[in-house]
Amino acid sequence: QDPGFASQALISKKLNDYRKVSPAGTKPDSSPKGPRGLGIRAEFLKQTGTSAPRSPRQDAAVTKDESSSQKAPWGINIMKKNKKSAPRAFGVRLEDCQPAPDNKNVPLIVEACCKVVEDRGLEYMGIYRVPGNNAVVSSLQEQLNKGATEINLQDERWQDLNVISSLLKSFFRKLPEPLFTDDKYNDFIEANRIEDASERMRTLRKLIRDLPGHYYETLKFLVGHLKTIADHSEKNKMEPRNLALVFGPTLVRTSEDNMTDMVTHMPDRYKIVETLIQHSDWFFSDKEDKGEKVSPVPTQ
């Protein structure tokens, strides 16, 4: 006989003898060991549409419930498809934010933060300059991003003015489309550099009026709020220039700032926001503009 064939036959015989004498519970198993192996097998059964052998009792239970559960997946899928996710508050475009009840073009989060500051922080020294606790700010952001349709101002976290002022700044910093919009950013920078003061003011005003609805209304609301803060600067020490130092880089920017723009345009960003606060009534007046040539002289 062929020695190789004999060896193979002997191995097969030994293996069969071993299987015969092995207890039932210790039968060799070539499948992967542990939970991972079971998971792979279950996944395979799921993909192939087959199932593991079931006992008669399991079959009876399945048959009993089959008629009532057949339509369940269809109904669940329809519900998932039609269910509209609640709007987020941070990192989304202005038009996708939860709107304020009184002005549909202003985000709820902006109105809420400004209300808290105006109710309790007009005389708070350094408001918007002193940062709030990062952990608390992040906690509020996470909650608001779950799509809260109402804001509980009685929540302890809403009692800290520095947290709320930081929350507002964070909102505008995270906007994917900045408040002055990417396509008009360079126009605003160039307008601010016009030497003739009256021409500069009129050009800035026209650019503001050309902003999309949500951006114009939100800018108007925010600048009005900052003007209210500046009106109490004797107590809070936040004059238009100080507020501009805080909000200029956050509001007047591009989606993808580069270091060159940040350095060369920084004075323009400050000046634009300062000018808007100083002359907010004129920039955002709802009166019809009938080719007026008179404009306020900006403060130097």
Side-chain angles (χ1 to χ4, degrees), residues 169-205:
K169 290 183 289 185
S170 177
F171 171 82
F172 286 107
R173 191 162 48 245
K174 291 177 180 291
L175 280 178
E177 176 80 6
L179 202 52
F180 286 80
T181 67
D182 286 323
D183 62 327
K184 291 184 172 56
Y185 171 80
N186 287 323
D187 294 336
F188 274 104
I189 298 298
E190 291 175 7
N192 185 66
R193 297 179 176 182
I194 296 175
E195 292 187 8
D196 182 79
S198 295
E199 180 65 21
R200 178 166 72 250
M201 296 289 280
R202 286 196 299 272
T203 305
L204 284 172
R205 189 185 191 203

PDB file of all heavy atoms in Angstrom, residues 169-205:
ATOM      1  N   LYS A 169     -22.144  84.090  21.591  1.00  0.00           N
ATOM      2  CA  LYS A 169     -20.954  84.229  20.731  1.00  0.00           C
ATOM      3  C   LYS A 169     -20.646  82.918  20.025  1.00  0.00           C
ATOM      4  O   LYS A 169     -20.281  82.910  18.845  1.00  0.00           O
ATOM      5  CB  LYS A 169     -19.759  84.695  21.569  1.00  0.00           C
ATOM      6  CG  LYS A 169     -19.862  86.130  22.059  1.00  0.00           C
ATOM      7  CD  LYS A 169     -18.616  86.563  22.811  1.00  0.00           C
ATOM      8  CE  LYS A 169     -18.508  85.884  24.161  1.00  0.00           C
ATOM      9  NZ  LYS A 169     -17.362  86.397  24.954  1.00  0.00           N
ATOM     10  N   SER A 170     -20.816  81.816  20.743  1.00  0.00           N
ATOM     11  CA  SER A 170     -20.557  80.499  20.146  1.00  0.00           C
ATOM     12  C   SER A 170     -21.515  80.218  18.995  1.00  0.00           C
ATOM     13  O   SER A 170     -21.132  79.626  17.979  1.00  0.00           O
ATOM     14  CB  SER A 170     -20.687  79.420  21.220  1.00  0.00           C
ATOM     15  OG  SER A 170     -20.514  78.139  20.675  1.00  0.00           O
ATOM     16  N   PHE A 171     -22.769  80.642  19.152  1.00  0.00           N
ATOM     17  CA  PHE A 171     -23.759  80.418  18.088  1.00  0.00           C
ATOM     18  C   PHE A 171     -23.291  81.059  16.779  1.00  0.00           C
ATOM     19  O   PHE A 171     -23.296  80.425  15.715  1.00  0.00           O
ATOM     20  CB  PHE A 171     -25.112  80.995  18.494  1.00  0.00           C
ATOM     21  CG  PHE A 171     -26.117  81.007  17.378  1.00  0.00           C
ATOM     22  CD1 PHE A 171     -26.841  79.876  17.065  1.00  0.00           C
ATOM     23  CD2 PHE A 171     -26.308  82.155  16.606  1.00  0.00           C
ATOM     24  CE1 PHE A 171     -27.747  79.875  16.011  1.00  0.00           C
ATOM     25  CE2 PHE A 171     -27.213  82.159  15.562  1.00  0.00           C
ATOM     26  CZ  PHE A 171     -27.941  81.021  15.259  1.00  0.00           C
ATOM     27  N   PHE A 172     -22.878  82.325  16.844  1.00  0.00           N
ATOM     28  CA  PHE A 172     -22.466  83.022  15.626  1.00  0.00           C
ATOM     29  C   PHE A 172     -21.128  82.509  15.108  1.00  0.00           C
ATOM     30  O   PHE A 172     -20.886  82.500  13.900  1.00  0.00           O
ATOM     31  CB  PHE A 172     -22.391  84.529  15.883  1.00  0.00           C
ATOM     32  CG  PHE A 172     -23.747  85.172  15.990  1.00  0.00           C
ATOM     33  CD1 PHE A 172     -24.234  85.586  17.219  1.00  0.00           C
ATOM     34  CD2 PHE A 172     -24.551  85.338  14.872  1.00  0.00           C
ATOM     35  CE1 PHE A 172     -25.500  86.161  17.328  1.00  0.00           C
ATOM     36  CE2 PHE A 172     -25.817  85.906  14.964  1.00  0.00           C
ATOM     37  CZ  PHE A 172     -26.288  86.316  16.196  1.00  0.00           C
ATOM     38  N   ARG A 173     -20.281  82.035  16.012  1.00  0.00           N
ATOM     39  CA  ARG A 173     -18.988  81.496  15.588  1.00  0.00           C
ATOM     40  C   ARG A 173     -19.157  80.186  14.843  1.00  0.00           C
ATOM     41  O   ARG A 173     -18.357  79.844  13.969  1.00  0.00           O
ATOM     42  CB  ARG A 173     -18.100  81.314  16.819  1.00  0.00           C
ATOM     43  CG  ARG A 173     -16.641  81.014  16.520  1.00  0.00           C
ATOM     44  CD  ARG A 173     -15.731  81.267  17.719  1.00  0.00           C
ATOM     45  NE  ARG A 173     -16.242  80.660  18.940  1.00  0.00           N
ATOM     46  CZ  ARG A 173     -16.649  81.351  20.008  1.00  0.00           C
ATOM     47  NH1 ARG A 173     -16.637  82.675  19.985  1.00  0.00           N
ATOM     48  NH2 ARG A 173     -17.072  80.721  21.082  1.00  0.00           N
ATOM     49  N   LYS A 174     -20.191  79.422  15.166  1.00  0.00           N
ATOM     50  CA  LYS A 174     -20.403  78.105  14.564  1.00  0.00           C
ATOM     51  C   LYS A 174     -21.293  78.147  13.316  1.00  0.00           C
ATOM     52  O   LYS A 174     -21.559  77.106  12.710  1.00  0.00           O
ATOM     53  CB  LYS A 174     -21.012  77.153  15.598  1.00  0.00           C
ATOM     54  CG  LYS A 174     -20.057  76.769  16.730  1.00  0.00           C
ATOM     55  CD  LYS A 174     -20.751  75.876  17.746  1.00  0.00           C
ATOM     56  CE  LYS A 174     -19.806  75.488  18.875  1.00  0.00           C
ATOM     57  NZ  LYS A 174     -18.742  74.591  18.430  1.00  0.00           N
ATOM     58  N   LEU A 175     -21.786  79.318  12.940  1.00  0.00           N
ATOM     59  CA  LEU A 175     -22.630  79.392  11.736  1.00  0.00           C
ATOM     60  C   LEU A 175     -21.829  78.956  10.512  1.00  0.00           C
ATOM     61  O   LEU A 175     -20.745  79.484  10.253  1.00  0.00           O
ATOM     62  CB  LEU A 175     -23.127  80.827  11.521  1.00  0.00           C
ATOM     63  CG  LEU A 175     -24.325  81.304  12.344  1.00  0.00           C
ATOM     64  CD1 LEU A 175     -24.620  82.773  12.011  1.00  0.00           C
ATOM     65  CD2 LEU A 175     -25.559  80.454  12.098  1.00  0.00           C
ATOM     66  N   PRO A 176     -22.335  78.006   9.729  1.00  0.00           N
ATOM     67  CA  PRO A 176     -21.610  77.590   8.519  1.00  0.00           C
ATOM     68  C   PRO A 176     -21.564  78.694   7.468  1.00  0.00           C
ATOM     69  O   PRO A 176     -20.601  78.786   6.708  1.00  0.00           O
ATOM     70  CB  PRO A 176     -22.410  76.378   8.027  1.00  0.00           C
ATOM     71  CG  PRO A 176     -23.756  76.518   8.646  1.00  0.00           C
ATOM     72  CD  PRO A 176     -23.559  77.208   9.956  1.00  0.00           C
ATOM     73  N   GLU A 177     -22.608  79.539   7.442  1.00  0.00           N
ATOM     74  CA  GLU A 177     -22.610  80.721   6.570  1.00  0.00           C
ATOM     75  C   GLU A 177     -22.598  81.943   7.487  1.00  0.00           C
ATOM     76  O   GLU A 177     -23.575  82.220   8.180  1.00  0.00           O
ATOM     77  CB  GLU A 177     -23.855  80.743   5.681  1.00  0.00           C
ATOM     78  CG  GLU A 177     -23.988  81.991   4.807  1.00  0.00           C
ATOM     79  CD  GLU A 177     -23.131  81.931   3.551  1.00  0.00           C
ATOM     80  OE1 GLU A 177     -22.527  80.874   3.295  1.00  0.00           O
ATOM     81  OE2 GLU A 177     -23.074  82.938   2.822  1.00  0.00           O
ATOM     82  N   PRO A 178     -21.495  82.686   7.548  1.00  0.00           N
ATOM     83  CA  PRO A 178     -21.394  83.818   8.472  1.00  0.00           C
ATOM     84  C   PRO A 178     -22.499  84.848   8.253  1.00  0.00           C
ATOM     85  O   PRO A 178     -23.133  84.899   7.194  1.00  0.00           O
ATOM     86  CB  PRO A 178     -20.023  84.416   8.160  1.00  0.00           C
ATOM     87  CG  PRO A 178     -19.261  83.304   7.508  1.00  0.00           C
ATOM     88  CD  PRO A 178     -20.278  82.499   6.757  1.00  0.00           C
ATOM     89  N   LEU A 179     -22.707  85.678   9.268  1.00  0.00           N
ATOM     90  CA  LEU A 179     -23.820  86.628   9.239  1.00  0.00           C
ATOM     91  C   LEU A 179     -23.718  87.605   8.066  1.00  0.00           C
ATOM     92  O   LEU A 179     -24.726  88.024   7.508  1.00  0.00           O
ATOM     93  CB  LEU A 179     -23.858  87.396  10.564  1.00  0.00           C
ATOM     94  CG  LEU A 179     -25.181  88.044  10.965  1.00  0.00           C
ATOM     95  CD1 LEU A 179     -26.333  87.045  10.922  1.00  0.00           C
ATOM     96  CD2 LEU A 179     -25.084  88.665  12.352  1.00  0.00           C
ATOM     97  N   PHE A 180     -22.500  87.962   7.673  1.00  0.00           N
ATOM     98  CA  PHE A 180     -22.322  88.905   6.557  1.00  0.00           C
ATOM     99  C   PHE A 180     -22.172  88.168   5.228  1.00  0.00           C
ATOM    100  O   PHE A 180     -21.884  88.796   4.219  1.00  0.00           O
ATOM    101  CB  PHE A 180     -21.113  89.813   6.817  1.00  0.00           C
ATOM    102  CG  PHE A 180     -21.371  90.871   7.866  1.00  0.00           C
ATOM    103  CD1 PHE A 180     -21.314  90.562   9.216  1.00  0.00           C
ATOM    104  CD2 PHE A 180     -21.702  92.173   7.507  1.00  0.00           C
ATOM    105  CE1 PHE A 180     -21.555  91.522  10.185  1.00  0.00           C
ATOM    106  CE2 PHE A 180     -21.947  93.139   8.468  1.00  0.00           C
ATOM    107  CZ  PHE A 180     -21.878  92.825   9.821  1.00  0.00           C
ATOM    108  N   THR A 181     -22.353  86.884   5.222  1.00  0.00           N
ATOM    109  CA  THR A 181     -22.333  85.958   4.079  1.00  0.00           C
ATOM    110  C   THR A 181     -21.004  85.977   3.317  1.00  0.00           C
ATOM    111  O   THR A 181     -20.365  87.012   3.167  1.00  0.00           O
ATOM    112  CB  THR A 181     -23.494  86.209   3.087  1.00  0.00           C
ATOM    113  OG1 THR A 181     -23.325  87.463   2.443  1.00  0.00           O
ATOM    114  CG2 THR A 181     -24.825  86.156   3.816  1.00  0.00           C
ATOM    115  N   ASP A 182     -20.631  84.803   2.849  1.00  0.00           N
ATOM    116  CA  ASP A 182     -19.351  84.644   2.152  1.00  0.00           C
ATOM    117  C   ASP A 182     -19.263  85.493   0.884  1.00  0.00           C
ATOM    118  O   ASP A 182     -18.218  86.086   0.599  1.00  0.00           O
ATOM    119  CB  ASP A 182     -19.135  83.167   1.783  1.00  0.00           C
ATOM    120  CG  ASP A 182     -18.773  82.328   2.992  1.00  0.00           C
ATOM    121  OD1 ASP A 182     -18.048  82.827   3.867  1.00  0.00           O
ATOM    122  OD2 ASP A 182     -19.220  81.170   3.073  1.00  0.00           O
ATOM    123  N   ASP A 183     -20.357  85.543   0.126  1.00  0.00           N
ATOM    124  CA  ASP A 183     -20.296  86.230  -1.171  1.00  0.00           C
ATOM    125  C   ASP A 183     -20.184  87.744  -1.033  1.00  0.00           C
ATOM    126  O   ASP A 183     -19.765  88.420  -1.979  1.00  0.00           O
ATOM    127  CB  ASP A 183     -21.510  85.861  -2.029  1.00  0.00           C
ATOM    128  CG  ASP A 183     -22.827  86.283  -1.401  1.00  0.00           C
ATOM    129  OD1 ASP A 183     -22.912  86.258  -0.156  1.00  0.00           O
ATOM    130  OD2 ASP A 183     -23.766  86.629  -2.144  1.00  0.00           O
ATOM    131  N   LYS A 184     -20.552  88.300   0.134  1.00  0.00           N
ATOM    132  CA  LYS A 184     -20.486  89.758   0.312  1.00  0.00           C
ATOM    133  C   LYS A 184     -19.339  90.188   1.218  1.00  0.00           C
ATOM    134  O   LYS A 184     -19.141  91.380   1.450  1.00  0.00           O
ATOM    135  CB  LYS A 184     -21.811  90.276   0.882  1.00  0.00           C
ATOM    136  CG  LYS A 184     -22.979  90.191  -0.100  1.00  0.00           C
ATOM    137  CD  LYS A 184     -24.237  90.812   0.489  1.00  0.00           C
ATOM    138  CE  LYS A 184     -25.344  90.896  -0.551  1.00  0.00           C
ATOM    139  NZ  LYS A 184     -25.658  89.603  -1.138  1.00  0.00           N
ATOM    140  N   TYR A 185     -18.603  89.225   1.727  1.00  0.00           N
ATOM    141  CA  TYR A 185     -17.546  89.559   2.700  1.00  0.00           C
ATOM    142  C   TYR A 185     -16.562  90.585   2.137  1.00  0.00           C
ATOM    143  O   TYR A 185     -16.292  91.628   2.758  1.00  0.00           O
ATOM    144  CB  TYR A 185     -16.812  88.283   3.119  1.00  0.00           C
ATOM    145  CG  TYR A 185     -15.578  88.554   3.947  1.00  0.00           C
ATOM    146  CD1 TYR A 185     -15.673  88.841   5.302  1.00  0.00           C
ATOM    147  CD2 TYR A 185     -14.301  88.545   3.354  1.00  0.00           C
ATOM    148  CE1 TYR A 185     -14.536  89.104   6.061  1.00  0.00           C
ATOM    149  CE2 TYR A 185     -13.165  88.803   4.107  1.00  0.00           C
ATOM    150  CZ  TYR A 185     -13.295  89.080   5.461  1.00  0.00           C
ATOM    151  OH  TYR A 185     -12.170  89.352   6.201  1.00  0.00           O
ATOM    152  N   ASN A 186     -15.998  90.307   0.966  1.00  0.00           N
ATOM    153  CA  ASN A 186     -15.013  91.224   0.381  1.00  0.00           C
ATOM    154  C   ASN A 186     -15.614  92.579   0.077  1.00  0.00           C
ATOM    155  O   ASN A 186     -14.934  93.613   0.191  1.00  0.00           O
ATOM    156  CB  ASN A 186     -14.406  90.614  -0.889  1.00  0.00           C
ATOM    157  CG  ASN A 186     -13.443  89.482  -0.577  1.00  0.00           C
ATOM    158  OD1 ASN A 186     -12.718  89.533   0.405  1.00  0.00           O
ATOM    159  ND2 ASN A 186     -13.452  88.450  -1.411  1.00  0.00           N
ATOM    160  N   ASP A 187     -16.898  92.614  -0.286  1.00  0.00           N
ATOM    161  CA  ASP A 187     -17.570  93.898  -0.547  1.00  0.00           C
ATOM    162  C   ASP A 187     -17.645  94.738   0.724  1.00  0.00           C
ATOM    163  O   ASP A 187     -17.467  95.966   0.681  1.00  0.00           O
ATOM    164  CB  ASP A 187     -18.981  93.660  -1.101  1.00  0.00           C
ATOM    165  CG  ASP A 187     -18.973  92.998  -2.466  1.00  0.00           C
ATOM    166  OD1 ASP A 187     -17.948  93.133  -3.178  1.00  0.00           O
ATOM    167  OD2 ASP A 187     -19.957  92.323  -2.826  1.00  0.00           O
ATOM    168  N   PHE A 188     -17.916  94.093   1.851  1.00  0.00           N
ATOM    169  CA  PHE A 188     -17.963  94.828   3.120  1.00  0.00           C
ATOM    170  C   PHE A 188     -16.577  95.375   3.481  1.00  0.00           C
ATOM    171  O   PHE A 188     -16.459  96.517   3.951  1.00  0.00           O
ATOM    172  CB  PHE A 188     -18.479  93.922   4.243  1.00  0.00           C
ATOM    173  CG  PHE A 188     -19.974  93.878   4.354  1.00  0.00           C
ATOM    174  CD1 PHE A 188     -20.691  92.778   3.890  1.00  0.00           C
ATOM    175  CD2 PHE A 188     -20.681  94.930   4.927  1.00  0.00           C
ATOM    176  CE1 PHE A 188     -22.078  92.736   3.990  1.00  0.00           C
ATOM    177  CE2 PHE A 188     -22.062  94.901   5.025  1.00  0.00           C
ATOM    178  CZ  PHE A 188     -22.775  93.803   4.558  1.00  0.00           C
ATOM    179  N   ILE A 189     -15.539  94.571   3.275  1.00  0.00           N
ATOM    180  CA  ILE A 189     -14.180  95.028   3.591  1.00  0.00           C
ATOM    181  C   ILE A 189     -13.817  96.228   2.722  1.00  0.00           C
ATOM    182  O   ILE A 189     -13.284  97.238   3.206  1.00  0.00           O
ATOM    183  CB  ILE A 189     -13.155  93.891   3.385  1.00  0.00           C
ATOM    184  CG1 ILE A 189     -13.454  92.719   4.327  1.00  0.00           C
ATOM    185  CG2 ILE A 189     -11.743  94.408   3.614  1.00  0.00           C
ATOM    186  CD1 ILE A 189     -13.374  93.045   5.799  1.00  0.00           C
ATOM    187  N   GLU A 190     -14.112  96.143   1.427  1.00  0.00           N
ATOM    188  CA  GLU A 190     -13.797  97.245   0.513  1.00  0.00           C
ATOM    189  C   GLU A 190     -14.616  98.483   0.846  1.00  0.00           C
ATOM    190  O   GLU A 190     -14.110  99.615   0.791  1.00  0.00           O
ATOM    191  CB  GLU A 190     -14.059  96.811  -0.933  1.00  0.00           C
ATOM    192  CG  GLU A 190     -13.079  95.752  -1.438  1.00  0.00           C
ATOM    193  CD  GLU A 190     -13.437  95.244  -2.826  1.00  0.00           C
ATOM    194  OE1 GLU A 190     -14.369  95.833  -3.440  1.00  0.00           O
ATOM    195  OE2 GLU A 190     -12.817  94.275  -3.292  1.00  0.00           O
ATOM    196  N   ALA A 191     -15.885  98.298   1.190  1.00  0.00           N
ATOM    197  CA  ALA A 191     -16.740  99.435   1.536  1.00  0.00           C
ATOM    198  C   ALA A 191     -16.203 100.164   2.764  1.00  0.00           C
ATOM    199  O   ALA A 191     -16.230 101.403   2.834  1.00  0.00           O
ATOM    200  CB  ALA A 191     -18.164  98.961   1.795  1.00  0.00           C
ATOM    201  N   ASN A 192     -15.696  99.433   3.720  1.00  0.00           N
ATOM    202  CA  ASN A 192     -15.173 100.054   4.936  1.00  0.00           C
ATOM    203  C   ASN A 192     -13.918 100.883   4.661  1.00  0.00           C
ATOM    204  O   ASN A 192     -13.569 101.756   5.465  1.00  0.00           O
ATOM    205  CB  ASN A 192     -14.850  98.978   5.971  1.00  0.00           C
ATOM    206  CG  ASN A 192     -14.420  99.546   7.294  1.00  0.00           C
ATOM    207  OD1 ASN A 192     -15.189 100.191   7.984  1.00  0.00           O
ATOM    208  ND2 ASN A 192     -13.154  99.308   7.666  1.00  0.00           N
ATOM    209  N   ARG A 193     -13.276 100.631   3.528  1.00  0.00           N
ATOM    210  CA  ARG A 193     -12.040 101.349   3.196  1.00  0.00           C
ATOM    211  C   ARG A 193     -12.262 102.542   2.277  1.00  0.00           C
ATOM    212  O   ARG A 193     -11.290 103.194   1.862  1.00  0.00           O
ATOM    213  CB  ARG A 193     -11.044 100.366   2.560  1.00  0.00           C
ATOM    214  CG  ARG A 193     -10.629  99.251   3.524  1.00  0.00           C
ATOM    215  CD  ARG A 193      -9.671  98.264   2.902  1.00  0.00           C
ATOM    216  NE  ARG A 193      -9.227  97.262   3.887  1.00  0.00           N
ATOM    217  CZ  ARG A 193      -8.363  96.295   3.633  1.00  0.00           C
ATOM    218  NH1 ARG A 193      -7.837  96.177   2.423  1.00  0.00           N
ATOM    219  NH2 ARG A 193      -8.023  95.444   4.580  1.00  0.00           N
ATOM    220  N   ILE A 194     -13.511 102.837   1.949  1.00  0.00           N
ATOM    221  CA  ILE A 194     -13.813 104.020   1.140  1.00  0.00           C
ATOM    222  C   ILE A 194     -13.473 105.269   1.945  1.00  0.00           C
ATOM    223  O   ILE A 194     -13.889 105.426   3.087  1.00  0.00           O
ATOM    224  CB  ILE A 194     -15.302 104.037   0.733  1.00  0.00           C
ATOM    225  CG1 ILE A 194     -15.614 102.832  -0.171  1.00  0.00           C
ATOM    226  CG2 ILE A 194     -15.662 105.339   0.021  1.00  0.00           C
ATOM    227  CD1 ILE A 194     -17.078 102.690  -0.531  1.00  0.00           C
ATOM    228  N   GLU A 195     -12.690 106.160   1.346  1.00  0.00           N
ATOM    229  CA  GLU A 195     -12.197 107.330   2.073  1.00  0.00           C
ATOM    230  C   GLU A 195     -13.308 108.312   2.415  1.00  0.00           C
ATOM    231  O   GLU A 195     -13.353 108.849   3.531  1.00  0.00           O
ATOM    232  CB  GLU A 195     -11.097 108.031   1.264  1.00  0.00           C
ATOM    233  CG  GLU A 195      -9.816 107.193   1.142  1.00  0.00           C
ATOM    234  CD  GLU A 195      -8.690 107.963   0.489  1.00  0.00           C
ATOM    235  OE1 GLU A 195      -8.850 109.197   0.269  1.00  0.00           O
ATOM    236  OE2 GLU A 195      -7.653 107.347   0.191  1.00  0.00           O
ATOM    237  N   ASP A 196     -14.203 108.578   1.480  1.00  0.00           N
ATOM    238  CA  ASP A 196     -15.289 109.528   1.740  1.00  0.00           C
ATOM    239  C   ASP A 196     -16.261 108.918   2.743  1.00  0.00           C
ATOM    240  O   ASP A 196     -16.857 107.854   2.491  1.00  0.00           O
ATOM    241  CB  ASP A 196     -16.010 109.867   0.437  1.00  0.00           C
ATOM    242  CG  ASP A 196     -17.115 110.892   0.650  1.00  0.00           C
ATOM    243  OD1 ASP A 196     -16.811 112.084   0.752  1.00  0.00           O
ATOM    244  OD2 ASP A 196     -18.286 110.452   0.742  1.00  0.00           O
ATOM    245  N   ALA A 197     -16.441 109.580   3.887  1.00  0.00           N
ATOM    246  CA  ALA A 197     -17.231 109.019   4.980  1.00  0.00           C
ATOM    247  C   ALA A 197     -18.682 108.775   4.580  1.00  0.00           C
ATOM    248  O   ALA A 197     -19.251 107.721   4.889  1.00  0.00           O
ATOM    249  CB  ALA A 197     -17.170 109.945   6.194  1.00  0.00           C
ATOM    250  N   SER A 198     -19.305 109.751   3.902  1.00  0.00           N
ATOM    251  CA  SER A 198     -20.711 109.605   3.516  1.00  0.00           C
ATOM    252  C   SER A 198     -20.898 108.468   2.523  1.00  0.00           C
ATOM    253  O   SER A 198     -21.842 107.679   2.617  1.00  0.00           O
ATOM    254  CB  SER A 198     -21.233 110.917   2.913  1.00  0.00           C
ATOM    255  OG  SER A 198     -21.238 111.936   3.886  1.00  0.00           O
ATOM    256  N   GLU A 199     -19.980 108.383   1.570  1.00  0.00           N
ATOM    257  CA  GLU A 199     -20.054 107.307   0.581  1.00  0.00           C
ATOM    258  C   GLU A 199     -19.854 105.948   1.249  1.00  0.00           C
ATOM    259  O   GLU A 199     -20.507 104.956   0.902  1.00  0.00           O
ATOM    260  CB  GLU A 199     -18.991 107.537  -0.497  1.00  0.00           C
ATOM    261  CG  GLU A 199     -18.966 106.472  -1.590  1.00  0.00           C
ATOM    262  CD  GLU A 199     -20.243 106.450  -2.432  1.00  0.00           C
ATOM    263  OE1 GLU A 199     -20.958 107.470  -2.457  1.00  0.00           O
ATOM    264  OE2 GLU A 199     -20.512 105.401  -3.034  1.00  0.00           O
ATOM    265  N   ARG A 200     -18.947 105.901   2.194  1.00  0.00           N
ATOM    266  CA  ARG A 200     -18.691 104.661   2.914  1.00  0.00           C
ATOM    267  C   ARG A 200     -19.946 104.190   3.658  1.00  0.00           C
ATOM    268  O   ARG A 200     -20.317 103.016   3.599  1.00  0.00           O
ATOM    269  CB  ARG A 200     -17.542 104.865   3.907  1.00  0.00           C
ATOM    270  CG  ARG A 200     -17.251 103.623   4.746  1.00  0.00           C
ATOM    271  CD  ARG A 200     -15.917 103.735   5.459  1.00  0.00           C
ATOM    272  NE  ARG A 200     -15.942 104.690   6.554  1.00  0.00           N
ATOM    273  CZ  ARG A 200     -15.319 105.862   6.566  1.00  0.00           C
ATOM    274  NH1 ARG A 200     -14.616 106.236   5.501  1.00  0.00           N
ATOM    275  NH2 ARG A 200     -15.376 106.658   7.603  1.00  0.00           N
ATOM    276  N   MET A 201     -20.613 105.124   4.328  1.00  0.00           N
ATOM    277  CA  MET A 201     -21.807 104.778   5.088  1.00  0.00           C
ATOM    278  C   MET A 201     -22.922 104.288   4.181  1.00  0.00           C
ATOM    279  O   MET A 201     -23.606 103.301   4.481  1.00  0.00           O
ATOM    280  CB  MET A 201     -22.275 105.977   5.906  1.00  0.00           C
ATOM    281  CG  MET A 201     -21.295 106.433   6.984  1.00  0.00           C
ATOM    282  SD  MET A 201     -21.204 105.268   8.357  1.00  0.00           S
ATOM    283  CE  MET A 201     -22.682 105.729   9.249  1.00  0.00           C
ATOM    284  N   ARG A 202     -23.120 104.976   3.066  1.00  0.00           N
ATOM    285  CA  ARG A 202     -24.200 104.586   2.146  1.00  0.00           C
ATOM    286  C   ARG A 202     -23.919 103.215   1.527  1.00  0.00           C
ATOM    287  O   ARG A 202     -24.832 102.417   1.330  1.00  0.00           O
ATOM    288  CB  ARG A 202     -24.388 105.652   1.055  1.00  0.00           C
ATOM    289  CG  ARG A 202     -25.054 106.925   1.540  1.00  0.00           C
ATOM    290  CD  ARG A 202     -25.556 107.757   0.353  1.00  0.00           C
ATOM    291  NE  ARG A 202     -24.462 108.153  -0.523  1.00  0.00           N
ATOM    292  CZ  ARG A 202     -23.725 109.274  -0.367  1.00  0.00           C
ATOM    293  NH1 ARG A 202     -23.973 110.081   0.662  1.00  0.00           N
ATOM    294  NH2 ARG A 202     -22.770 109.586  -1.211  1.00  0.00           N
ATOM    295  N   THR A 203     -22.664 102.956   1.198  1.00  0.00           N
ATOM    296  CA  THR A 203     -22.306 101.659   0.603  1.00  0.00           C
ATOM    297  C   THR A 203     -22.531 100.532   1.602  1.00  0.00           C
ATOM    298  O   THR A 203     -23.068  99.467   1.257  1.00  0.00           O
ATOM    299  CB  THR A 203     -20.844 101.676   0.132  1.00  0.00           C
ATOM    300  OG1 THR A 203     -20.640 102.774  -0.765  1.00  0.00           O
ATOM    301  CG2 THR A 203     -20.496 100.370  -0.570  1.00  0.00           C
ATOM    302  N   LEU A 204     -22.118 100.758   2.847  1.00  0.00           N
ATOM    303  CA  LEU A 204     -22.345  99.745   3.880  1.00  0.00           C
ATOM    304  C   LEU A 204     -23.835  99.483   4.072  1.00  0.00           C
ATOM    305  O   LEU A 204     -24.271  98.334   4.214  1.00  0.00           O
ATOM    306  CB  LEU A 204     -21.729 100.201   5.206  1.00  0.00           C
ATOM    307  CG  LEU A 204     -20.199 100.088   5.328  1.00  0.00           C
ATOM    308  CD1 LEU A 204     -19.724 100.751   6.621  1.00  0.00           C
ATOM    309  CD2 LEU A 204     -19.757  98.631   5.287  1.00  0.00           C
ATOM    310  N   ARG A 205     -24.607 100.564   4.045  1.00  0.00           N
ATOM    311  CA  ARG A 205     -26.055 100.412   4.240  1.00  0.00           C
ATOM    312  C   ARG A 205     -26.672  99.602   3.116  1.00  0.00           C
ATOM    313  O   ARG A 205     -27.524  98.730   3.350  1.00  0.00           O
ATOM    314  CB  ARG A 205     -26.712 101.789   4.336  1.00  0.00           C
ATOM    315  CG  ARG A 205     -28.179 101.723   4.749  1.00  0.00           C
ATOM    316  CD  ARG A 205     -28.792 103.090   4.708  1.00  0.00           C
ATOM    317  NE  ARG A 205     -30.110 103.081   5.333  1.00  0.00           N
ATOM    318  CZ  ARG A 205     -31.044 103.970   5.072  1.00  0.00           C
ATOM    319  NH1 ARG A 205     -30.827 104.932   4.196  1.00  0.00           N
ATOM    320  NH2 ARG A 205     -32.201 103.922   5.673  1.00  0.00           N
TER     321      ARG A 205
END
